Amino acid sequence: MSFQIISSPNKRVAARFVLKARRSLQALLAATPEITQAEIARKLGVNRSVINRQLNGLQDISMARYAELAWALGAVPDISLKCERIDKVRNILPPAAPAPISFSPGHARLVFKNSNIEPEAGNNTSVSAAS
Amino acid sequence: MATILDLVEAGELIRVDPVLDSGVQEERLIYATPVVAAWVQTELPAIASQWDLELSPAEQLDALVATYAEGDVLSFELHFKPLHPHNDGVWELKTPDLRVFGFFSSRDCFVAVRIDTAQRVKEHGLYRGYVGEVVRARQGWDLDPPPFVPGVDPRDVVSNYQLP
């Protein structure tokens, strides 16, 4: 016997995406101890309590603020989407010209690319919102 | 003496289904008392966020349970926290609007005994009472030893976490 917390699949997807996005910022902050919440607040021109509430989930984060927080942490947000329907269509269609947007397995996710890492260094370190 | 599965078979506990995506392994388990299950299914859907957040408390809980069950990184004190008195081995799972009181029967296996809104818990000082309820429920089940994970070390209760 078991029970589910919410039954609406669209609400479920949204809730998990929002939490993963916030967790990606928390993970990035934890991975960069040299950057404090006070420093982020100074860079964004807001009070430190605002940053604290937003990172701890007590205040919503807009997509724009998400990008700002990522920037303040030395990262650039990137977006990838999984489109199961298109993947299925591709499986039955002949190969087409490369699309401008690529789809990859995994749900919608936000991926940070550390802007401080030189591409030629061959370091692919990144912090991902998705597992 | 009883195991967690014995309690599930007896109806004393109910498994929380995290509804993970296909292909995602359930790395951590969570069980709940019928009281918690009833509250989640009847009371929780109507509760609005105290903080006026876009995610309702029900959605917050669903997302936290999914994160927990997938084995993703949890933030110590932000998502899970040991409660006083520490010898009792009572922990809370936290969302901005909710507090889930229970214990870890083993690493990565949480038993939720009570749940309430953070606002009510704080306004009415319910922490001590809920900790006591968890301890009494656990004693009443007479679990096989060791009945719970003692102490306050996050490494002992969760396999993948980060410090605040």
Side-chain angles (χ1 to χ4, degrees), chain A residues 89-104:
Chain A
V89 171
R90 283 183 173 175
N91 284 339
I92 60 172
L93 292 176
I101 299 174
S102 63
F103 296 90
S104 60

Side-chain angles (χ1 to χ4, degrees), chain B:
Chain B
M1 293 290 177
T3 64
I4 294 296
L5 292 181
D6 290 336
L7 295 176
V8 171
E9 285 186 11
E12 300 270 352
L13 292 177
I14 303 170
R15 190 178 79 85
V16 180
D17 179 1
V19 196
L20 301 182
D21 294 334
S22 61
V24 177
Q25 178 102 7
E26 193 172 343
E27 303 273 349
R28 300 187 185 117
L29 300 172
I30 181 166
Y31 296 91
T33 58
V35 171
V36 171
W39 193 88
V40 165
Q41 292 172 313
T42 59
E43 306 275 335
L44 183 56
I47 297 175
S49 170
Q50 169 199 357
W51 305 95
D52 198 25
L53 298 173
E54 61 179 333
L55 294 188
S56 69
E59 291 161 356
Q60 295 169 23
L61 183 63
D62 175 82
L64 178 64
V65 166
T67 299
Y68 169 88
E70 287 177 8
D72 274 353
V73 178
L74 295 173
S75 292
F76 181 56
E77 294 188 342
L78 183 63
H79 295 139
F80 69 111
K81 184 180 176 183
L83 298 176
H84 289 282
H86 289 155
N87 288 341
D88 286 340
V90 177
W91 292 70
E92 63 175 349
L93 298 185
K94 302 168 64 180
T95 79
D97 284 300
L98 296 174
R99 297 292 182 268
V100 186
F101 301 92
F103 64 96
F104 288 89
S105 63
S106 60
R107 195 186 200 201
D108 292 336
C109 183
F110 186 74
V111 178
V113 175
R114 287 300 301 261
I115 184 171
D116 207 335
T117 62
Q119 187 173 26
R120 239 179 65 81
V121 169
K122 292 173 186 173
E123 279 184 3
H124 300 285
L126 302 177
Y127 269 105
R128 179 178 291 188
Y130 281 147
V131 169
E133 283 198 42
V134 171
V135 171
R136 284 191 295 277
R138 194 173 57 203
Q139 288 171 341
W141 289 323
D142 194 22
L143 286 162
D144 286 346
F148 65 95
V149 180
V152 297
D153 191 334
R155 285 174 296 188
D156 292 339
V157 296
V158 167
S159 57
N160 192 8
Y161 70 96
Q162 68 184 29
L163 296 173

Side-chain angles (χ1 to χ4, degrees), chain A residues 2-3 11 16 26 60 107, chain B residues 15 17-19 21 54 62:
Chain A
S2 65
F3 72 98
K11 296 291 185 187
R16 296 175 184 191
Q26 293 164 349
D60 288 330
H107 276 281
Chain B
R15 190 178 79 85
D17 179 1
V19 196
D21 294 334
E54 61 179 333
D62 175 82

Side-chain angles (χ1 to χ4, degrees), chain A residues 30-74:
Chain A
T32 50
E34 68 276 13
I35 301 178
T36 64
Q37 291 188 14
E39 175 70 6
I40 297 170
R42 188 190 62 76
K43 284 182 175 178
L44 301 186
V46 298
N47 193 288
R48 194 191 70 84
S49 63
V50 173
I51 300 301
N52 184 264
R53 285 199 302 273
Q54 291 182 335
L55 289 174
N56 288 338
L58 298 179
Q59 186 174 323
D60 288 330
I61 300 175
S62 68
M63 293 180 75
R65 176 46 64 90
Y66 181 89
E68 284 188 305
L69 288 167
W71 169 81
L73 286 161

